[in-house]
Amino acid sequence: MQLTQHTDFGLRLLIVLTRTEGGPISLPSFAADQRLSYNHVSKVAQALVRTGFIRSLRGRNGGVALARSPAEITVGDVVRALEPGMRMADCANCELRLGCETSSVLAEAVAAFMAVLDKTTLAVAAQSARPAFAGWSAGKAVK
């Protein structure tokens, strides 16, 4: 299972905001620090404002800031908000849909995946005690 870049960038932004004690941070600075497209980051930030995770602040010291405590936001909340209709396969348009158990197995797998994400708050996810999973760094395969 792979999350979209949209969700990846959203989680990164929320983690950085958590590490800066809620912000505010400037989106151009965040985009530059993370080596991301500012336009894409801006769209992600708009979605996070719309869903109530962050708020936009205007003015000289503006930017974006967390709208709620990171201890109140789970990674699952964010993934659900940024990945509407998340599914692993297109069972609705499959010719086998009337006689196949795969869709129920995949639904169970997504539910288990989300249950793990629901147990993790931003406050925990933002801790920097461990390096990123080795299989995810620099595109190296997991053995």
Side-chain angles (χ1 to χ4, degrees):
M1 169 166 242
Q2 184 171 350
L3 299 176
T4 62
Q5 273 190 337
H6 188 77
T7 301
D8 175 17
F9 294 178
L11 287 169
R12 288 191 208 189
L13 179 56
L14 291 169
I15 287 170
V16 169
L17 283 166
T18 299
R19 289 181 177 173
T20 60
E21 299 181 10
I25 63 171
S26 106
L27 290 180
S29 295
F30 170 79
D33 291 346
Q34 294 290 314
R35 298 183 191 152
L36 304 173
S37 156
Y38 169 75
N39 290 334
H40 198 147
V41 167
S42 177
K43 289 177 187 175
V44 169
Q46 288 173 3
L48 291 171
V49 167
R50 210 173 30 256
T51 54
F53 293 110
I54 65 174
R55 54 193 168 93
S56 179
L57 306 168
R58 294 184 175 262
R60 195 170 124 199
N61 295 320
V64 294
L66 287 176
R68 302 184 342 226
S69 165
E72 297 173 6
I73 302 169
T74 69
V75 174
D77 294 335
V78 177
V79 170
R80 275 188 196 84
L82 298 180
E83 297 275 347
M86 182 173 60
R87 62 181 190 221
M88 295 177 71
D90 185 13
C91 294
N93 292 314
C94 177
E95 294 299 320
L96 301 174
R97 72 185 170 276
L98 299 176
C100 179
E101 285 295 316
T102 304
S103 63
S104 61
V105 171
L106 293 177
E108 185 178 346
V110 169
F113 176 75
M114 294 307 297
V116 172
L117 298 183
D118 287 337
K119 291 191 284 186
T120 306
T121 65
L122 281 181
V124 170
Q127 293 174 357
S128 58
R130 294 185 286 176
F133 175 59
W136 293 342
S137 59
K140 295 177 184 171
V142 178
K143 293 183 180 183

